[in-house]
Amino acid sequence: MIFVKRIYEWIEVRLGVKELVEKNLTGYLLPRNINFWYSMGSIILFIFAVQVVTGMLLLIYYVPDADKAYSSVTAIMNRVPFGWLIRTCHAIGSSMMVLFLLLHMLSVMFMGSYKRPRELNWLSGFILFSLVQVICLTGYLLPWSQLSFWATTVATNSIGAIPLVGQFIVEFLRGGKLVGPPTLGRFFTLHVAVIPVLIASVVGVHLFLLERIGVSKPPFGLDNTKNRWQGDAFRYDEHTGGIPFFPNYILQDMTSIAIYFSLFAAVVFFCPGIFFPNDAFIQANPFQTPAHIKPEWYFLANYQTLKLFPNEFIGLSIQGAAMTFLALLPFIDWGNEKHPLKRPLFMVCAIGGILLYIGLSIWGHYS
């Protein structure tokens, strides 16, 4: 025990661990009426960690070559010990990350947590959501199945509708005029080496902003804490009278992660087929176009929007305008009121947008 104590004292003198713990864990206070929706960020971090670990394990056996990619994925599923579990967790985890990012953004919207002084938190979160969609798109091609090949063909074709630079971007992404081996190499590089670094960087920025500005108070529920601010820059200090981050909030986060993991395991073990259509088990054939190819669920609304307009550029412009509006939401809705029921125009627009997104997704799935 004396030896351990001396090691602790040696580390304490050099790092000041006690001060760090008191400042960022036990001494970091949160509002008392904090709710389940505040755990979404921790669940997303957990999913991202699982994706990194399972992705690294898949890299041991995956071969990023057009002639060997599909057979390597088949070998992972059928011959590598627990390979089917790792691949299934990675594939389903990508959808779960998009889903919980959407839920997180919706909760932030309805609780008004994007308002001053948290505009940069919202922007970094929006960039993170966009990067996750891109990494899902690039990873979709890697199994080199009929589904992934033709879904990538459809997705990259739509980019060509952008005036002047559209065709150049398409050929740059594909490495040629058509989806082929160069496309697989480029998407593999983006999926494994480029976008994960960008996502980790944006996550770091998002967490820094969260620590710097602090957690916003829910606009509803009973709470007797008070915010304390310093200066015109709105430097957050603490919620006086609140609950400590550790152990209270940590336990809440762990409970939420455990519930998520239970639901995730249920999907992985009992109904993984909802994420693996039949075309996902057929090797890519550039000379045989499947009758019904649809993108993943989170791209169905975009897919259906493009189908509604004879000119793809109009469809892309509408989607671009919607995404721009969403990114600039803190600067458009700049009022101080945060309670959703006291913002009727916001409620109408938000619920209408959600219903439109769900409706277009269902329409795209069955059309």
Side-chain angles (χ1 to χ4, degrees), residues 130-151:
S130 302
L131 286 173
V132 168
Q133 286 189 306
V134 174
I135 200 172
C136 289
L137 177 64
T138 55
Y140 207 57
L141 178 65
L142 301 189
W144 205 246
S145 63
Q146 277 286 76
L147 177 65
S148 62
F149 180 91
W150 289 102

Side-chain angles (χ1 to χ4, degrees), residues 278-291:
N278 293 332
D279 288 318
F281 300 100
I282 303 174
Q283 187 170 1
N285 184 354
F287 305 103
Q288 182 180 355
T289 307

Side-chain angles (χ1 to χ4, degrees), residues 156-174 176-178:
T156 51
N157 273 341
S158 62
I159 300 175
I162 301 175
L164 302 177
V165 298
Q167 198 58 39
F168 170 78
I169 297 175
V170 171
E171 292 187 16
F172 174 78
L173 289 174
R174 292 177 174 178
K177 293 187 178 298
L178 300 174

Side-chain angles (χ1 to χ4, degrees), residues 8-261:
Y8 169 78
E9 291 174 350
W10 188 89
I11 296 174
E12 176 64 27
V13 169
R14 287 152 182 82
L15 299 180
V17 175
K18 185 178 180 180
E19 181 185 353
L20 287 174
V21 170
E22 290 178 350
K23 180 180 178 181
N24 298 298
L25 293 178
T26 57
Y28 186 56
L29 303 180
L30 298 173
R32 289 187 174 275
N33 62 335
I34 206 165
N35 53 51
F36 165 78
W37 294 103
Y38 281 75
S39 297
M40 288 294 167
S42 299
I43 294 175
I44 293 167
L45 276 176
F46 175 77
I47 298 173
F48 181 60
V50 171
Q51 290 300 98
V52 171
V53 173
T54 54
M56 292 171 65
L57 293 174
L58 290 173
L59 279 175
I60 298 174
Y61 296 97
Y62 177 75
V63 181
D65 180 88
D67 296 326
K68 301 177 182 179
Y70 181 79
S71 59
S72 68
V73 173
T74 303
I76 290 171
M77 293 290 288
N78 298 324
R79 294 199 294 271
V80 176
F82 297 103
W84 64 270
L85 178 61
I86 301 300
R87 195 253 170 140
T88 304
C89 286
H90 192 76
I92 296 177
S94 62
S95 288
M96 293 298 102
M97 192 164 182
V98 175
L99 174 62
F100 278 87
L101 273 168
L102 282 171
L103 292 175
H104 186 45
M105 293 181 72
L106 286 174
S107 67
V108 169
M109 285 174 57
F110 279 98
M111 287 189 285
S113 300
Y114 56 86
K115 292 175 176 286
R116 181 183 180 186
R118 297 179 176 84
E119 297 92 338
L120 293 179
N121 300 59
W122 174 264
L123 287 174
S124 60
F126 178 83
I127 293 171
L128 177 61
F129 177 69
S130 302
L131 286 173
V132 168
Q133 286 189 306
V134 174
I135 200 172
C136 289
L137 177 64
T138 55
Y140 207 57
L141 178 65
L142 301 189
W144 205 246
S145 63
Q146 277 286 76
L147 177 65
S148 62
F149 180 91
W150 289 102
T152 303
T153 300
V154 172
T156 51
N157 273 341
S158 62
I159 300 175
I162 301 175
L164 302 177
V165 298
Q167 198 58 39
F168 170 78
I169 297 175
V170 171
E171 292 187 16
F172 174 78
L173 289 174
R174 292 177 174 178
K177 293 187 178 298
L178 300 174
V179 174
T183 316
L184 180 62
R186 297 188 179 205
F187 275 41
F188 176 78
T189 302
L190 289 171
H191 187 77
V192 173
V194 179
I195 304 178
V197 175
L198 294 176
I199 289 177
S201 301
V202 175
V203 168
V205 171
H206 192 71
L207 292 177
F208 167 77
L209 292 170
L210 183 63
E211 192 279 335
R212 183 70 175 170
I213 304 298
V215 177
S216 65
K217 295 173 63 173
F220 32 74
L222 297 176
D223 179 40
N224 60 355
T225 62
K226 296 181 180 180
N227 282 355
R228 192 167 72 197
W229 305 88
Q230 296 178 353
D232 296 333
F234 285 84
R235 171 66 177 96
Y236 172 79
D237 187 10
E238 63 179 5
H239 291 278
T240 54
I243 59 174
F245 180 80
F246 180 85
N248 304 67
Y249 188 67
I250 290 292
L251 290 174
Q252 178 177 311
D253 274 0
M254 291 177 65
T255 302
S256 300
I257 290 173
I259 294 172
Y260 159 76
F261 189 74

Side-chain angles (χ1 to χ4, degrees), residues 287-302:
F287 305 103
Q288 182 180 355
T289 307
H292 303 287
I293 284 292
K294 294 182 176 63
E296 280 286 80
W297 63 269
Y298 40 84
F299 287 126
L300 282 172
N302 309 73

